[in-house]
Amino acid sequence: MAEADATARTALRAVAEARLWLGTPYIHQASCAGAGADCLGLIRGIWRKLYGAEPCALPAYSADWAEAGAGEVLQEAASTWLIAKATAPAIGDVLLFRMRDGGAAKHLGLQSATGRDARFIHAFSGHAVTESALTFPWARRIAARFSFPPI
């Protein structure tokens, strides 16, 4: 039970941190609250707040990296550093999305509410970090769910 409590506390801390990033402009490869972030940069920034340094150095990536036949790079990385989930949606879940059928998973967000008013926080091109409704068009694109390791 103690691990479940630690996981829940970590999830709540992750969502609280993500909300501090709301309004941060979208900037490809950036990861600085208030200055700029892309979807991966938001998750990286949350990681740094929770654990300190990032777990590994991140190579530069192009905006179209997932279309270049790179395989499931983002899903493999998430599986390395986060905990894969097969349980019901929960606040604090890291969501991995496929933006088109048959395409590689290439977008990330953090679930901030569940149930009828499900929401997630993410950064996407042309917008700032925002909290969006997890509507059917978004939910059907979820390729995987992960949780941050408990602190």
Side-chain angles (χ1 to χ4, degrees):
M1 194 56 130
E3 185 169 334
D5 290 343
T7 298
R9 281 192 307 274
T10 302
L12 291 174
R13 286 181 62 190
V15 171
E17 177 62 21
R19 286 197 168 118
L20 296 175
W21 289 64
L22 292 173
T24 297
Y26 179 90
I27 298 178
H28 176 65
Q29 294 191 52
S31 182
C32 184
D38 62 10
C39 66
L40 178 57
L42 172 64
I43 301 302
R44 290 172 48 216
I46 295 167
W47 179 282
R48 287 192 307 269
K49 184 65 173 183
L50 294 174
Y51 309 104
E54 293 182 42
C56 66
L58 186 67
Y61 51 94
S62 66
D64 67 346
W65 65 268
E67 284 82 30
E72 292 291 349
V73 175
L74 195 55
Q75 191 160 359
E76 290 170 13
S79 295
T80 299
W81 305 110
L82 302 170
I83 300 168
K85 292 188 62 186
T87 57
I91 291 172
D93 284 356
V94 176
L95 307 175
L96 182 59
F97 297 91
R98 281 186 209 294
M99 299 312 290
R100 62 181 173 84
D101 294 339
K106 63 180 266 182
H107 186 62
L108 293 162
L110 186 73
Q111 185 136 15
S112 54
T114 58
R116 284 176 43 110
D117 297 319
R119 301 184 70 71
F120 71 113
I121 299 169
H122 61 135
F124 61 109
S125 183
H127 301 274
V129 174
T130 189
E131 189 165 10
S132 299
L134 188 55
T135 58
F136 178 74
W138 278 110
R140 74 179 186 86
R141 299 202 172 278
I142 296 173
R145 288 179 174 273
F146 298 89
S147 63
F148 283 104
I151 298 174

